[in-house]
Each structure stands twice: as structure tokens, then as C-alpha cells.
């Protein structure tokens, strides 16, 4: 898909992913979204540099988590780009959508304050462009396994034997149910 | 595995391999009857199930196009997804949570008990609880339902503990880990006990949760009488000049069409496709749809009064660890009109993973108000309301002549408007569920609207008289003696209980009737 991720060790990787910011770069004619500390980069096939900057900001404002680095929103933009590369209709929708954002105040939307950016987004919130970006973001942002630890979601469990021995009933507060309400687990 | 010729008209053809169709197929095969089981979906299993919400949805869910109309919120938020049910061998028994409750006695007599309610098409079932009891017994044994037949209850997870804490403090008395068709101990057919994996909705990779996929269907195959055809999508049921059904036209995976002849046809495609199939089988003899002289095919569609309540707490919960439906409060399940509505509701724990929580917590929402809630994910507990909704003639599955499927047939449109009784019940349930969580120390409580329906009922309902329904007390079409309905679309009313146990019990009972009728050459 065009993603290159470079990292030294896992903890440093996670730290960068959680906190790092990104920038859009053009090298050899290819548009990339690049982690500013060089830890990762994503090459885009269809969306141009201005579109990439705009969508990176738009996806974050749609689902803002301050604790998340740009990496996660960049992945959403990369997904949209993949679709745009395969569908002329999507490519046009995204391109025209970015233009609509820029037309609101006759100035690149990316240069507006956060409050004004949100106001423009509210205005176009019934548009197919908004719906497309929202639908893509709400699915692919939270469907990213590298993001799950930030929310303490543990993901797939069958390969670890489920949660039977990994804290399924380890609640540290509340009433303990009696044995009739909650019988003991079978452990063989 | 048997293999019958298309022109072999001695077979019983069943459409759909879920709780109704899969159980019926096995019961008939065990009694010496040859069965062709047509299943639109493919065959998965514990080895191919995935602990991944979106990938599993793509694997198991019915995704063929449907349309929606009416004032229900699902039509606005999910216009082409009225239901979250399955297209796979085993049907929605691969996806279900396992809750297995018997109807209460009065629920078979909803019209008599609740009286006439304006805007509702209430009707008593043509069967009683007493008649159903032997079949509930057999279903509970077959499904190894916990807290029956000596099968121990399951242990409660964190999500259950939070609900239990609030329920007890609020004064609720019937709070426990439920009657579940999930192995609390390993079974003789080699299936594991529950490992609290937390992906019940995505197919049980331990095989602990009962599903026709790895119980009824293999058992039927072992008799040598079952011809299971995955990737076979039923298009139309054919009949002869005397009005008897003669076979089922279906498309295979390549899109080639075949006509399987039949002595008897049983429709078990769940409550949207089953009426759709009958409607698409209209002919000059049955201009309004096969078996639809009453006009009730597709009508009285019910989805249970549902909704969810999620709450956040000071300390973590990790509700996703363990069974998705880990326990129940039954104190509100009875009929008590003093509460302001007819019928009752259950409160059952529910959990969603992070990906689905984002999609369903507040469909369409975006911005900081939404992400603030998502930030609390690991501190959330959740429960689901399931209550009796009112059958309405206007809540119905019809053919959408403007939208065709890939075979050129009109797709199903599901029209739904909540009845006032449904709204008053939902409101009461939201309040009570919120009080439970507040009693447990909730910081914030969220009322979440109904999801695409996982309980779909009533669209080919049973009746005591032909004019009021589609099938009789055996699920046999009033119009066509050798045509049966074998899934939840038979339900006359929805009751409060999760439907699968009743669907299985009805299938066991219907198999006996079909066997006897065939032996007497009545069909």
C-alpha cells in the first residue's frame, strides 16, 4: 500500500506513534505524509500534497484524540488514497470536497483557526464528501491494531486461550456475585 | 454426505441452515427422511472464524442489498442494513450470543392478556406453553443450555459484575449469568468449554457456543441423508396446477440457476428473506405471493424493543473480556401494565469491541463530544434491552420493485415505525438500566438507539385462523399443504425472550408433524 515504517525498538515506536506529528513532503514527484522524526512515511498515489494536508487535519478534527499522533490519521488518509487510486469517482469527490472547504472563506481551509475549520465542517456535514471521509475515518481509525493499546483494548483473544486466565473477572471494585448468580469457571 | 439429483422429487428441500433450518434438517434426517439443505452462504468454522469485528462482519453477515423505510432510526443511520444477521452455513447461530429463555405462559396469549391495543395487530399463538414444554425440554438438552439439565451456569465477567453490583443495590432480585447455550463444561461431541474469549458475535473459535454449523449439520451428515449445498441462493418456489409446491429454483456460486424438485419445501431464511422468497414466488394462482391469500406475508415484522445503555466508571472495567452476553436482570420481564406499557423486557449485558463501539455508540456523531466518550472505552460497562414489541400490519417486508438484486429480483424493503408501547417500554428500560449503572457508581450514562436488528420475527406468522396469518400451528402454509415456514418469521408475537430457543423447539416439533404427515401421505 505504500507505507514504510522505520523504528528502532517497540517502546520507542509506540511513543512516536502516540505522540508524533507529521508533515507532507514531496520527493521525486511522490507525495508522502512523513512523521517529522523520520520514524514513518506513507506514499500517496492519487491525493495531492494540499489534499493530503487538508484531509489529515479534517480526519483529526472529525475524531480528535489529542493523545494520538498523526500516524493514525495518516493511515486513514492512506486508505482514502487507496480508494481514490482505484476509483475516479472517489478521486473527484475528494478533490472537489477539498476545494469546497477552501471556498468557504476564499482561503485555504488548512490556514483557518480550529474554530473556523469546525464551523466549515459543520456547514458541509450533510454532503457526500463529508460522509465519505467520516465513514472511512470512523471505521479505519479505530480498526487499527497499533492504536488499540492506547484505549486498553486487547483485540484478538482466541490465540491466547481467551480471557479465562487473563482477567475476565478481575474487577477490582463492586460487589462479588454469590455462587448462584455467578458459578465458578470450569478449568478442567 | 448424500447427493440427490435435481429431478429427485422425493426429498424435503429446506431453505436456510440456521436455528430453524439446520435443526429441522437434522431432526428429519434422524427420522429417516432425505433432505436437501440450500444455504446461500459458505461454510466457515472455528478454524476460519476471526476475532476481528469488521473482518468477521464481512465474512458472516448478510450483505446483499436491502432497503428500509419508516420512522425508525435504523432507516436513517443504516439505510441498507436493516438487520445484522448471517449468510453462512449455520446462519445466525454462528453470530448469536447464546441466550436461551423459554417464553412465559401469557406470552403465547398476547392478545388475550394485553387486550386490544390501537395500532397493534396482536393475536394469540395457536399453541400454548404446555404444548411447547416437551419441545423446550428437548431443545435445552440439545443445546446444553446452562442452568438446565444439570449444566452449571457460566461464571460472570467484569461487565456482569458491574451490572450485578448496580442491580443488587437497586433492589433487583433475579440477576444471574443467564441460561446460555454455551458449554460451561466440555461436551461429548468434542466441543470445548467456554474460554471467555469475548468474540461470541464473530463465531466461537472454541466451538463452545451452540451453533447448527458444528452440531446439527454434522449430525445430519452422519446419517447419510443430508445433501447440504452451500452457495445456493433460493430465488423462487415453483408449484403445480393443483397448488402444491414442486421445487425450489436457486442460483449457485457461479450464478447458474438450477431447479431442485421437492416433495416438501420448508422456508427458513430468517424473517426478511423468507417472506421475500414467498413474495417473489408469486404466480397467476398466487398473485400476491405464494401462500399469501391472507395478505399477511411480510406483515407484522417485529424486531424486539431494543436499545443499549453504556456507562463509564472511575476505575477500568474491560467489558470486552469474556462472553458478550454475560448475564441478565429478569425482574422487568413480566407483564405489569402499571408501568405504562404491555409486555415486559429483559436487561442483558452486552459488549462491543473498540471498532464497533465507534460505529454504533452514537451513529453519525463526530467531534470532541463523541471522542470524549471513546476515550473512556476501558472504563465502560454495557447492557442491552430486549423487550416485546407490538406486531403492526404496517411494519412489513415488501418487494422493492425499484431495486433489483444481481439475479434481477426485487430486493426486500423493511418498513418500520415504533408503536407507542415500544417507546414507553424502551424509555422505562433506559431509565431502569441507567439507574442500575448509577447505583454501581456510574460517572456518565449513554442511551444508545437500536442497532440493525439481530432479532427478526413475525413476517410469516402462525395463526389459529387462515385469515389472520400465513401458517398454522405446525408452521404449515394455510394455502399450500406441502409448504412450511421453519424460522422465526413464524412467531405470532415476539415475547420478551431471545428467540432462538423457541425457534429450535418449534423445529423439533415441526419435524414430527412433517414425518407423520409424510407417513400418512398427506404431503
Amino acid at each position: 500500500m505504500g507505507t514504510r515504517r522505520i523504528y528502532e525498538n517497540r517502546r520507542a515506536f509506540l511513543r512516536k506513534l502516540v505522540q508524533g506529528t507529521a508533515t507532507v513532503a514531496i520527493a521525486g514527484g511522490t507525495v508522502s505524509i512523513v512523521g517529522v522524526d523520520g520514524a514513518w512515511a506513507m506514499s500517496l498515489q492519487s491525493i495531492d500534497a494540499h489534499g493530503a494536508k487538508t484531509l489529515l487535519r479534517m480526519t483529526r478534527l472529525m475524531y480528535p484524540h489529542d493523545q494520538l499522533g498523526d500516524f493514525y490519521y495518516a493511515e486513514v488518509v492512506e486508505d482514502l488514497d487507496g480508494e481514490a487510486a482505484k476509483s475516479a469517482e472517489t478521486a473527484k469527490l475528494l478533490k472537489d470536497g477539498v476545494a469546497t472547504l477552501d471556498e468557504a472563506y476564499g482561503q485555504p481551509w488548512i490556514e483557518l483557526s480550529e474554530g473556523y475549520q469546525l464551523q466549515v465542517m459543520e456547514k458541509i456535514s450533510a454532503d457526500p464528501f463529508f460522509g465519505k471521509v467520516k465513514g472511512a475515518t470512523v471505521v479505519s481509525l479505530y480498526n487499527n491494531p497499533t492504536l488499540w493499546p492506547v484505549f486498553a483494548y486487547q483485540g484478538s483473544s482466541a490465540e491466547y486461550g481467551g480471557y479465562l486466565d487473563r482477567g475476565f473477572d478481575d474487577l477490582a471494585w463492586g460487589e462479588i456475585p454469590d455462587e448462584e448468580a455467578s458459578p465458578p469457571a470450569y478449568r478442567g | 454426505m448424500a447427493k440427490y439429483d435435481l429431478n429427485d422429487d422425493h426429498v424435503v428441500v429446506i431453505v436456510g441452515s440456521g436455528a430453524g433450518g439446520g435443526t429441522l434438517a437434522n431432526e428429519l434426517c434422524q427420522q429417516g427422511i432425505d433432505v436437501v439443505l440450500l444455504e446461500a452462504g459458505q461454510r466457515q468454522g472455528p478454524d476460519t472464524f476471526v476475532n476481528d469485528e469488521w473482518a468477521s462482519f464481512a465474512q458472516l453477515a448478510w450483505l446483499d442489498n436491502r432497503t428500509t423505510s419508516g420512522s425508525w432510526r435504523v432507516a436513517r443511520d443504516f439505510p441498507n442494513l436493516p438487520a445484522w444477521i448471517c449468510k453462512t452455513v449455520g446462519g445466525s447461530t454462528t453470530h448469536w450470543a447464546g441466550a436461551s429463555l423459554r417464553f412465559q405462559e401469557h406470552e403465547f396469549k398476547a392478545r388475550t392478556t394485553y387486550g386490544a391495543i390501537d395500532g397493534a395487530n396482536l393475536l394469540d399463538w395457536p399453541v400454548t406453553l404446555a404444548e411447547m414444554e416437551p419441545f423446550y425440554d428437548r431443545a435445552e438438552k440439545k443445546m446444553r443450555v446452562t442452568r438446565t439439565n444439570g449444566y452449571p451456569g457460566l461464571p460472570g465477567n467484569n461487565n456482569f459484575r458491574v451490572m450485578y453490583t448496580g442491580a443488587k443495590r437497586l433492589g433487583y432480585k433475579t440477576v444471574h449469568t443467564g441460561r446460555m447455550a454455551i458449554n460451561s463444561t466440555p461436551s461429548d461431541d468434542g466441543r470445548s468449554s467456554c474460554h471467555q474469549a469475548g468474540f461470541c458475535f464473530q463465531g466461537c473459535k472454541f466451538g463452545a457456543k451452540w451453533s447448527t454449523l458444528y452440531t446439527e449439520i454434522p449430525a445430519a451428515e452422519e446419517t447419510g441423508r443430508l445433501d447440504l449445498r452451500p452457495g445456493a441462493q433460493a430465488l423462487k418456489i415453483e408449484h403445480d396446477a393443483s397448488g402444491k409446491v414442486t421445487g425450489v429454483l436457486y442460483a449457485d456460486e457461479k450464478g447458474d440457476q438450477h431447479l431442485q424438485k421437492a416433495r416438501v419445501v420448508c422456508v427458513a431464511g430468517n424473517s426478511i428473506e423468507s417472506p421475500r422468497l414467498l413474495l417473489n414466488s408469486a404466480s397467476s394462482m398466487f398473485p400476491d405471493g405464494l401462500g399469501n391469500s391472507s395478505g399477511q406475508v411480510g406483515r407484522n415484522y417485529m424486531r424486539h424493543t431494543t436499545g443499549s445503555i453504556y456507562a463509564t466508571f472511575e476505575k477500568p472495567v474491560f467489558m470486552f473480556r469474556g462472553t458478550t452476553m454475560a448475564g441478565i436482570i429478569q425482574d422487568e420481564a413480566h407483564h405489569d401494565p402499571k408501568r405504562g406499557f404491555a409486555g415486559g423486557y429483559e436487561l442483558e449485558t452486552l459488549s462491543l469491541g473498540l471498532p464497533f463501539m465507534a460505529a454504533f455508540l452514537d451513529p453519525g456523531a463526530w467531534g470532541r463530544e463523541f471522542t470524549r466518550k471513546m476515550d473512556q472505552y476501558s472504563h465502560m460497562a454495557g447492557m442491552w434491552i430486549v423487550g416485546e414489541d407490538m406486531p403492526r400490519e404496517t411494519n412489513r417486508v415488501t418487494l422493492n420493485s425499484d431495486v433489483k438484486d444481481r439475479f434481477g429480483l426485487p430486493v426486500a424493503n423493511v418498513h418500520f415505525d415504533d408503536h407507542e408501547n415500544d417507546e414507553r417500554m424502551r424509555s422505562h428500560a433506559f431509565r431502569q438500566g441507567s439507574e442500575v449503572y448509577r447505583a454501581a457508581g456510574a460517572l456518565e450514562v449513554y442511551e444508545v438507539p437500536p442497532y440493525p436488528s439481530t432479532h427478526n420475527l413475525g413476517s410469516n406468522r402462525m395463526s389459529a385462523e387462515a385469515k389472520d396469518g400465513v401458517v398454522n400451528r405446525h408452521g404449515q402454509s394455510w394455502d399450500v399443504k406441502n409448504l412450511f415456514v421453519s424460522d422465526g418469521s413464524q412467531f405470532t408475537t415476539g415475547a420478551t425472550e431471545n428467540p432462538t430457543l423457541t425457534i429450535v423447539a418449534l423445529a423439533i416439533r415441526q419435524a414430527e408433524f412433517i414425518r407423520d404427515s409424510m407417513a400418512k401421505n398427506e404431503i
Side-chain angles (χ1 to χ4, degrees), chain A residues 24-74:
Chain A
V24 173
I26 304 177
T30 307
V31 176
S32 300
I33 308 179
V34 186
V36 282
D37 47 13
W40 55 269
M42 288 167 203
S43 306
L44 305 180
Q45 302 163 67
S46 169
I47 296 173
D48 64 22
H50 178 64
K53 268 193 223 163
T54 303
L55 288 169
L56 190 65
R57 179 68 181 154
M58 187 185 183
T59 52
R60 180 182 280 281
L61 285 185
M62 265 181 177
Y63 295 100
H65 291 281
D66 296 339
Q67 72 275 40
L68 291 184
D70 282 349
F71 174 85
Y72 301 101
Y73 299 97

Side-chain angles (χ1 to χ4, degrees), chain B residues 11-235:
Chain B
V11 294
V12 173
V13 176
I14 302 175
V15 176
S17 65
T23 303
L24 181 66
N26 185 35
E27 290 287 313
L28 291 174
C29 287
Q30 297 295 335
Q31 293 174 86
I33 293 167
D34 297 331
V35 173
V36 170
L37 182 53
L38 302 175
E39 168 52 56
Q42 296 301 330
R43 193 168 194 161
Q44 304 294 343
D47 51 331
T48 61
F49 291 147
V50 286
N51 279 186
D52 177 320
E53 290 178 310
W54 284 114
S56 176
F57 186 74
Q59 181 191 60
L60 299 177
W62 184 282
L63 297 172
D64 293 26
N65 198 21
R66 290 162 168 168
T67 59
T68 54
S69 56
S71 57
W72 60 328
R73 189 167 161 178
V74 169
R76 189 183 89 205
D77 294 329
F78 305 101
N80 296 102
L81 195 74
W84 179 5
I85 49 181
C86 297
K87 183 184 194 177
T88 192
V89 175
S92 300
T93 66
T94 54
H95 157 68
W96 76 311
S100 302
L101 304 167
R102 299 188 179 198
F103 275 25
Q104 302 165 69
E105 189 182 357
H106 70 273
E107 290 174 320
F108 286 104
K109 297 188 292 227
R111 173 63 179 82
T112 301
T113 310
Y114 308 149
I117 295 181
D118 259 348
N121 196 19
L122 285 169
L123 187 70
D124 289 351
W125 287 65
V127 298
T128 63
L129 178 62
E131 290 171 297
M132 287 295 290
E133 266 163 358
F135 301 99
Y136 273 138
D137 277 340
R138 286 165 61 179
E140 285 165 350
K141 287 187 170 64
K142 187 194 278 287
M143 297 158 78
R144 299 185 100 246
V145 175
T146 61
R147 299 175 187 271
T148 77
N149 297 288
Y151 299 121
L154 288 160
N157 68 356
N158 293 341
N159 202 18
F160 172 72
R161 290 184 166 210
V162 176
M163 186 175 81
Y164 178 89
T165 297
K168 282 295 165 179
R169 290 179 187 171
L170 204 61
Y172 278 140
K173 302 273 180 271
T174 319
V175 190
H176 55 84
T177 56
R179 291 183 157 215
M180 304 296 291
I182 295 178
N183 280 351
S184 47
T185 56
S187 46
D188 289 340
D189 57 356
R191 293 187 296 119
S192 164
S193 55
C194 178
H195 277 66
Q196 301 288 338
F199 286 90
C200 309
F201 282 167
Q202 285 71 38
C204 180
K205 286 189 74 70
F206 292 89
K209 180 186 76 178
W210 185 85
S211 169
T212 55
L213 170 64
Y214 41 67
T215 58
E216 298 298 286
I217 289 165
E221 285 174 318
E222 267 161 47
T223 66
R225 297 203 168 83
L226 181 71
D227 179 352
L228 167 67
R229 298 180 196 169
Q233 192 146 342
L235 304 174

Side-chain angles (χ1 to χ4, degrees), chain B residues 395-465:
Chain B
N395 286 347
R396 57 192 296 219
V397 177
T398 55
L399 298 178
N400 189 336
S401 49
D402 295 329
V403 183
K404 303 273 163 63
D405 70 3
R406 68 185 185 281
F407 308 109
L409 292 171
V411 305
N413 184 76
V414 182
H415 181 97
F416 197 90
D417 304 297
D418 271 327
H419 188 280
E420 193 183 77
N421 197 80
D422 305 340
E423 311 241 50
R424 299 221 287 252
M425 180 189 288
R426 186 179 294 115
S427 167
H428 191 276
F430 274 147
R431 274 183 65 152
Q432 290 305 115
S434 300
E435 287 307 307
V436 166
Y437 282 140
R438 289 205 176 91
L443 302 174
E444 284 190 9
V445 179
Y446 312 128
E447 294 179 10
V448 176
Y451 309 127
S453 312
T454 51
H455 294 175
N456 297 265
L457 310 165
S459 48
N460 289 313
R461 75 178 186 183
M462 278 192 180
S463 56
E465 289 172 52

Side-chain angles (χ1 to χ4, degrees), chain B residues 243-260:
Chain B
K244 269 182 34 176
V245 294
T246 53
V248 179
L249 181 71
Y250 68 93
D252 65 22
E253 295 156 85
K254 294 197 239 94
D256 296 330
Q257 297 187 10
H258 312 276
L259 177 64
Q260 173 64 52

